[in-house]
Amino acid sequence: MHWSAIVRRLRTLFDRQAVEREMDDELQLHLEMSARDLERRGLAPLDATRAATISFGGIEATKEVYRDARGVRIVEDLAQDVRYAVRTLRRRPVFAIVATLTMALGVGAATSIYSIVDGVLFRPLPFANAARIVQIWQTYPDWKTDPILAPNADRIELSLPEYRDLRNKTTAFSHIGVWADVRETLVDGDQRERVMTTRASASLLDVLGVRPFVGRSFLPDEDRPGAAAVAMVSYEMWQTRYAGARDVVGRTIHLDERAYTIIGVLPPALTLGRRAALQRAAPALWIPAGANAGADYEDRESRNYNAIARLAPGVTMERAEQNVRAVPRDPSTTRKVETRLVEWQRDQTRDARRPLLLLLAGVAVLLLIACVNVATLLLGEAAAREHEMAARIALGAGRRRIIRQLLTESLTLAALGGALGVAVAWAGMRALVAIAPVEIPGMSDVRLDGRVIVAALLAVSVTGIVFGLAPTLTLSRTGPSSVFRRGAGQSARGRGAMQRVMIAIELALSVVLLAGAGVLARTFHNISSRDPGFRPEHLIFMNSALPRSLRDSIGVHRIYEDAAARVAALPGVAGAVIGTEPPFMGGSGSASFALEGEVLPAAGGSTDATVVRRHRAHYHAVGPGYFALFGVPLLAGRELQSSDRWGAPNVVVVSASLARRDFPAESPLGKRIRRAGVWWTIVGVVGDVPDEKLSHPIEPAIYSPFAQDGGAVGPTLIVRTNGAAPSTAVLQTALRQANAKFMVTAVYTSEGLIEQSFADERFRAMLMSMFAVLAAVLSTVGMYGVTARAVAGRTREVGIRIALGATTSSVVRTLMRQTMSGAAIGVAVGLGLAWFATRALAPFLFGVSATDPFTFVGITTLLGLTAALASWLPSRRVSRLDITAELRAE
Amino acid sequence: MTTQRRDMVQGTLDMLILKSVSLAPMHAWGITQRVGQITDGVLQVNPGALYPALERLQDRGWVATDWDTTENGRKAKYYRLTARGRKQLGEETDEWHRLSAAVNAVLRTT
């Protein structure tokens, strides 16, 4: 077709009115001219018009052929076919609705889950050649054997001297950069605001391959101690705080008590990898790492910097790894440290990967069930329509025409289901993002994936087309004569068997999903009903900030204790206490110590002792009355008191599990431990409190008085209220009374934190249960449909049986038996599959085995009952059958 | 009117239209008149055949249209021959000559 033809067709399609008007004008002119010509030859004007019209030969007919010639025949034909298909579907509303909903659910669920998986796991990070960026981690081999330290053993960051070593002694990278995110207080006159800052090396933007949006980035000379203080602001901050002013470069900004000169603006939406929803706010500004590191600049043991590097062209991961390993450790490094490389993107999502792939597998099974269900439904339709097909053939319809009509019907169904599916996917994805655990990185920029919608649509469309054409399989042997054979349903026998196979497949897959959902739901229940070891009700945790100069002062604990006392005096507050890293705030630090008998006195009365064996425990520095406020039971000895202060004898309280581990044979009370170079006397034993997650094994903990720990910083204020929590503003006022520069930075409820700690498990259990319920509903609908079809197709046979003396109940039993036998096989196969499939879930389970008998028996019972009901309901109809009428109809 | 009417020989209508508009742009009615005049009324172009044919020729890019006014000031759609159409007319004319020569030869000998 010539291109002009396409343009003209499009015009016909989209500017129909103008085209019609032109056509009318043209034909009108034709008539007028013709009439005038006749007038010239002597006819009267009226006669001439009439004669012209007659000789024209049917204006409307001409218009119709005209339209055909220029028209969009294919589109119009299609529209006609679709209209017809919609009519046929409307005549079978139950089938149409069930098929459409099935497809919509399958497409919607699969698309929304895949979109999330893609957004989090697969979509490349938004940097040029992002696959060439690697994360550099260090590992402490000796940590791997300690249960408390092992989770972090292979994710040790770099110190600045180590970074400089790598930068200077490797050739495998084109750039290496480091950064550390640090919260700072942005000061603007009286206004104080907590912001996240990134301390970045001058080379970091080069690793990412991005350029500043305005101005310049850090120079190597600015990345050293003593350099002039410079900063780059984020694009977002530039927009909100400086209204995008071009002259932002050169302005001054104050962090805490230091002034920085702005030298550039970062590009929009720049984040260092995928950010968890918790940290949705990207750092507001970057400052050079070296100039702001203080003593860290030369400290080899301050491993606080994330390191990424861009592989040099042509360098493989293996070669880079060798190159990195070959860098000699500085002789001052006494402990064993190793370096490893991992693809940056993969590293970011390492914790989210397996759970998400699990959900993806679950939804894939659901999509498969949806496809099987659509196939089952279409096969049922095919059986019922054999008569119609025969009649159409008898009336002279061509095979091709019938196939085209069936295809149109299938595709119309698929289009309806698909359109609805996209809506389901969109809503589902929003719901998922809303309920997803906040720790999944990249969740906040998940979007609906067009490719996946297309793929899922294709899956159901192909199913629809393949099984929608089932009636044509018999077309060749369906001669017109079969119209006259009334028992057309009989030839559906073979297809009935196929439908039962489909039902068995659906049920088997449903069992797998149900079993997975079952054990995950039990896991969730087991975790959420676990006792946290304290009373979390009406407990709020408040984080706060002080200016750095105060934070580092000796008397800082007095400010905190004063603040706690003022908050405790607020109306509605039952008590307040300070403590570092309270439970479920995201993990606590740990401390190593030695028992008295395991320390050899050093020669010459030196305070440095030789330790035979080290013990490790979680460590908290807490205020007086901490355990009473939390509701942690005191098992022996006493609580920490306000008299346990600087200068008084050093004391600690230990947890029950520590007492069991380190003092198995005796009471720990009065025993001494050596930590941080001094002796501490154990004065109490308290109940165990999980640290981070209810599902984690309990780990030993020690608690020492905040006032006796010079090294403890930034405690959390723990407040127990009498119900309604005071507002943040009220808390803020109380803090300001203790110190004018105190600032509330975040407030959490303890219950909220605990819930968040098992958000992962809840998310998995919820989604899997949803998939499983959908699967069960789909297969039930399938069973019901198949039985109903079988019953409808065999009314004649049933009539004869009853006429010959069979009881209704025996006929119902016969009819049910067919569906039930298919269902039984399906469930049995499904149980076998689930036996293996649920093993893949083992890492996600808590307090339940992968082949939990309770779950498996429960599923079998549930599906058995459902199958019985789904086959009994339609079978029961035979009892209402008018036998004589049925037989007379023969 | 006793003009004898003949149906078009298949495929010749396109050629006649192209020929008609080859000298000057012409509106649809003009084309029917032209064909009638030249053939002395032997060949009559039926509107039901003409308009689809004009569409077809436009689709192929052989004729193009412009809106213009007739000699008595009426707005009308004028069809004109394009360069491609001129080439096509040449080919069809050659083909027609070959065909009619062949048919004539057959008629002469039998």
Side-chain angles (χ1 to χ4, degrees):
Chain A
M1 205 186 260
H2 194 247
W3 63 268
S4 68
I6 297 168
V7 173
R8 297 177 63 246
R9 292 278 187 294
L10 287 176
R11 191 166 167 250
T12 316
L13 210 55
F14 293 110
D15 199 5
R16 186 154 205 131
Q17 280 190 343
V19 169
E20 284 279 311
R21 208 164 45 239
E22 283 178 16
M23 181 176 76
D24 286 348
D25 281 355
E26 194 173 16
L27 297 185
Q28 186 59 38
L29 178 77
H30 192 122
L31 282 173
E32 278 173 25
M33 292 242 166
S34 177
R36 193 166 306 142
D37 184 55
L38 291 169
E39 265 180 68
R40 266 205 305 274
R41 295 192 198 175
L43 259 73
L46 265 174
D47 289 345
T49 308
R50 215 170 66 85
T53 312
I54 291 168
S55 76
F56 193 89
I59 298 172
E60 281 311 316
T62 306
K63 279 185 183 175
E64 200 50 47
V65 287
Y66 196 171
R67 283 189 197 113
D68 273 3
R70 75 164 320 153
V72 274
R73 189 82 249 186
I74 299 173
V75 178
E76 282 165 354
D77 265 12
L78 186 68
Q80 199 186 6
D81 272 10
V82 170
R83 272 197 300 276
Y84 181 78
V86 170
R87 267 210 310 279
T88 27
L89 290 176
R90 274 172 56 182
R91 278 207 307 272
R92 302 171 283 158
V94 176
F95 161 75
I97 289 171
V98 172
T100 308
L101 285 182
T102 303
M103 285 194 263
L105 284 177
V107 170
T111 309
S112 47
I113 293 289
Y114 185 83
S115 295
I116 284 172
V117 171
D118 177 70
V120 174
L121 297 186
F122 302 148
R123 194 177 328 138
L125 296 170
F127 301 109
N129 262 324
R132 301 286 293 165
I133 305 178
V134 295
Q135 171 101 33
I136 305 173
W137 287 118
Q138 304 197 93
T139 53
Y140 289 162
D142 59 324
W143 276 26
K144 287 183 183 158
T145 51
D146 187 308
I148 293 176
L149 301 173
N152 297 318
D154 66 344
R155 298 190 114 177
I156 307 296
E157 294 164 331
L158 269 65
S159 65
L160 289 177
E162 284 167 338
Y163 151 63
R164 291 194 295 271
D165 282 353
L166 282 185
R167 192 186 59 193
N168 299 336
K169 294 172 188 167
T170 57
T171 54
F173 308 108
S174 50
H175 300 281
I176 304 181
V178 292
W179 82 92
D181 282 348
V182 179
R183 281 193 186 281
E184 296 272 6
T185 305
L186 185 66
V187 182
D188 188 1
D190 290 347
Q191 299 282 318
R192 304 175 75 82
E193 187 192 342
R194 290 295 276 181
V195 293
M196 188 62 95
T197 64
T198 297
R199 295 183 181 181
S201 68
S203 52
L204 193 57
L205 282 183
D206 295 328
V207 178
L208 301 176
V210 299
R211 311 222 42 81
F213 194 77
V214 174
R216 61 172 177 88
S217 65
F218 305 134
L219 303 173
D221 274 344
E222 287 165 340
D223 191 12
R224 291 196 181 118
V230 292
M232 298 178 74
V233 297
S234 73
Y235 179 87
E236 291 72 23
M237 175 150 150
W238 180 50
Q239 289 297 323
T240 53
R241 201 180 172 89
Y242 298 100
R246 282 276 149 184
D247 62 349
V248 68
V249 171
R251 292 204 204 176
T252 305
I253 194 166
H254 292 266
L255 286 182
D256 216 331
E257 285 142 353
R258 198 171 176 200
Y260 291 80
T261 307
I262 296 172
I263 55 160
V265 176
L266 293 162
L270 178 75
T271 56
L272 291 162
R274 301 230 193 279
R275 242 156 228 292
L278 257 186
Q279 331 157 297
R280 191 163 295 172
L285 64 170
W286 284 22
I287 53 179
N292 293 281
D296 272 6
Y297 192 74
E298 292 297 346
D299 185 354
R300 294 200 159 266
E301 302 299 316
S302 286
R303 300 193 168 92
N304 296 322
Y305 293 85
N306 271 291
I308 55 172
R310 189 174 276 277
L311 293 175
V315 174
T316 62
M317 195 79 167
E318 293 69 39
R319 250 199 55 205
E321 209 141 38
Q322 286 165 9
N323 192 213
V324 162
R325 291 228 176 87
V327 174
R329 285 278 161 192
D330 188 84
S332 69
T333 311
T334 47
R335 76 181 309 162
K336 185 148 177 57
V337 187
E338 287 165 1
T339 311
R340 70 182 181 99
L341 300 181
V342 57
E343 201 182 300
W344 194 28
Q345 169 153 6
R346 210 182 157 81
D347 185 68
Q348 305 242 323
T349 54
R350 95 168 173 174
D351 297 327
R353 180 168 287 267
R354 289 187 64 184
L356 281 182
L357 291 180
L358 171 79
L359 288 182
L360 192 60
V363 84
V365 173
L366 183 64
L367 181 61
L368 197 58
I369 292 176
C371 285
V372 174
N373 207 41
V374 170
T376 315
L377 287 169
L378 286 169
L379 280 177
E381 283 304 293
R385 294 180 74 183
E386 215 152 59
H387 197 72
E388 177 195 336
M389 293 300 129
R392 287 171 137 217
I393 288 179
L395 292 175
R399 203 180 146 88
R400 279 174 56 146
R401 191 72 191 84
I402 288 183
I403 290 180
R404 186 168 120 185
Q405 186 55 47
L406 287 172
L407 268 182
T408 312
E409 278 183 40
S410 294
L411 288 174
T412 305
L413 261 186
L416 282 174
L420 205 57
V422 172
V424 170
W426 185 79
M429 210 189 63
R430 286 179 63 103
L432 286 175
V433 170
I435 62 167
V438 287
E439 292 87 12
I440 299 183
M443 201 68 179
S444 46
D445 39 47
V446 154
R447 53 168 188 248
L448 213 53
D449 190 293
R451 291 165 304 152
V452 194
I453 297 179
V454 171
L457 278 183
L458 219 59
V460 284
S461 304
V462 168
T463 314
I465 290 166
V466 169
F467 291 93
L469 287 180
T472 61
L473 289 179
T474 48
L475 272 190
S476 46
R477 55 186 165 89
T478 312
S481 63
S482 58
V483 178
F484 307 109
R485 282 191 261 117
R486 185 178 173 293
Q490 278 160 343
S491 57
R493 271 286 161 70
R495 212 167 285 136
M498 183 138 172
Q499 278 180 284
R500 283 196 293 278
V501 170
M502 296 279 191
I503 288 296
I505 295 174
E506 258 187 88
L507 275 171
L509 294 173
S510 303
V511 168
V512 173
L513 278 187
L514 281 168
V519 290
L520 286 176
R522 291 204 65 191
T523 296
F524 168 62
H525 177 258
N526 289 346
I527 293 174
S528 60
S529 57
R530 218 164 177 233
D531 178 15
F534 64 95
R535 288 182 292 113
E537 308 83 32
H538 309 313
L539 208 54
I540 55 178
F541 297 164
M542 178 171 72
N543 279 346
S544 54
L546 280 172
R548 184 171 296 132
S549 54
L550 277 175
R551 219 156 56 218
D552 297 342
S553 70
I554 299 292
V556 66
H557 69 269
R558 276 197 212 98
I559 300 178
Y560 281 113
E561 280 173 7
D562 185 23
R566 285 175 195 277
V567 170
L570 289 174
V573 172
V577 67
I578 51 170
T580 57
E581 296 161 332
F584 302 100
M585 278 279 275
S588 70
S590 66
S592 75
F593 59 91
L595 304 186
E596 190 159 19
E598 295 166 358
V599 181
L600 304 176
S606 154
T607 50
D608 255 9
T610 309
V611 170
V612 176
R613 195 173 133 225
R614 290 207 161 270
H615 300 252
R616 187 161 282 279
H618 287 286
Y619 174 76
H620 303 270
V622 302
Y626 181 87
F627 303 105
L629 187 96
F630 262 93
V632 173
L634 185 65
L635 304 176
R638 66 168 175 90
E639 163 86 275
L640 294 175
Q641 298 158 352
S642 49
S643 56
D644 298 319
R645 41 188 51 258
W646 190 254
N650 288 332
V651 294
V652 292
V653 166
V654 300
S655 70
S657 55
L658 186 136
R660 268 198 308 279
R661 183 189 71 180
D662 295 337
F663 303 94
E666 57 208 320
S667 163
L669 292 183
K671 296 283 186 308
R672 295 200 305 169
I673 61 171
R674 194 168 177 87
R675 187 183 82 73
V678 287
W679 289 105
W680 304 75
T681 307
I682 298 172
V683 294
V685 180
V686 293
D688 282 310
V689 175
D691 189 54
E692 208 177 336
K693 276 177 162 278
L694 286 168
S695 54
H696 283 181
I698 292 289
E699 285 156 353
I702 54 178
Y703 303 83
S704 59
F706 190 82
Q708 290 183 343
D709 185 335
V713 287
T716 300
L717 190 60
I718 297 128
V719 183
R720 186 171 293 279
T721 67
N722 293 325
S727 71
T728 308
V730 171
L731 292 170
Q732 174 80 65
T733 312
L735 290 194
R736 287 266 158 85
Q737 286 166 357
N739 187 289
K741 288 180 175 168
F742 234 131
M743 203 169 82
V744 175
T745 56
V747 178
Y748 308 95
T749 70
S750 183
E751 285 176 305
L753 289 172
I754 293 178
E755 248 175 60
Q756 201 176 298
S757 77
F758 50 75
D760 271 342
E761 286 82 1
R762 186 180 51 203
F763 185 58
R764 283 198 285 273
M766 260 172 73
L767 280 189
M768 273 300 192
S769 305
M770 213 168 71
F771 298 163
V773 167
L774 287 178
V777 168
L778 288 183
S779 32
T780 307
V781 168
M783 283 188 286
Y784 179 91
V786 168
T787 318
R789 281 267 175 253
V791 172
R794 291 167 64 184
T795 45
R796 183 163 141 267
E797 175 200 331
V798 167
I800 293 172
R801 282 185 186 219
I802 292 178
L804 290 178
T807 63
T808 319
S809 61
S810 75
V811 172
V812 168
R813 267 202 306 280
T814 316
L815 288 171
M816 279 177 70
R817 194 178 301 134
Q818 287 198 328
T819 306
M820 291 295 282
S821 61
I825 294 172
V827 171
V829 171
L831 286 173
L833 285 176
W835 188 265
F836 293 102
T838 50
R839 273 155 213 253
L841 294 177
F844 305 112
L845 301 184
F846 180 78
V848 61
S849 86
T851 51
D852 178 40
F854 178 80
T855 305
F856 277 64
V857 170
I859 290 167
T860 315
T861 318
L862 177 78
L863 287 181
L865 288 177
T866 323
L869 198 65
S871 57
W872 178 68
L873 283 177
S875 304
R876 198 179 44 131
R877 249 184 272 154
V878 295
S879 62
R880 293 201 303 261
L881 221 55
D882 186 347
I883 309 300
T884 33
E886 275 301 319
L887 292 178
R888 197 172 297 140
E890 277 303 296
Chain B
M1 272 181 26
T2 55
T3 325
Q4 196 188 0
R5 289 180 179 230
R6 277 278 151 75
D7 280 342
M8 286 290 158
V9 177
Q10 193 73 36
T12 54
L13 178 59
D14 287 2
M15 187 173 66
L16 291 178
I17 294 173
L18 291 177
K19 183 70 186 167
S20 303
V21 298
S22 66
L23 291 177
M26 199 164 267
H27 48 68
W29 188 75
I31 296 171
T32 60
Q33 286 307 99
R34 178 93 181 196
V35 173
Q37 278 166 11
I38 296 171
T39 63
D40 209 7
V42 172
L43 295 176
Q44 287 284 334
V45 182
N46 176 355
L50 173 69
Y51 286 101
L54 284 170
E55 284 301 316
R56 199 164 56 237
L57 296 177
Q58 286 179 73
D59 276 355
R60 294 181 184 156
W62 295 343
V63 299
T65 60
D66 302 296
W67 286 88
D68 205 343
T69 43
T70 63
E71 51 271 32
N72 35 24
R74 185 77 162 68
K75 214 168 89 101
K77 197 186 205 178
Y78 276 82
Y79 295 86
R80 65 180 159 77
L81 201 61
T82 63
R84 282 163 56 93
R86 194 167 298 283
K87 188 164 155 269
Q88 181 64 22
L89 177 59
E91 283 169 13
E92 287 206 18
T93 313
D94 289 349
E95 184 63 23
W96 175 258
H97 285 319
R98 283 198 319 115
L99 184 69
S100 57
V103 172
N104 285 337
V106 172
L107 293 178
R108 266 198 307 275
T109 51
T110 46

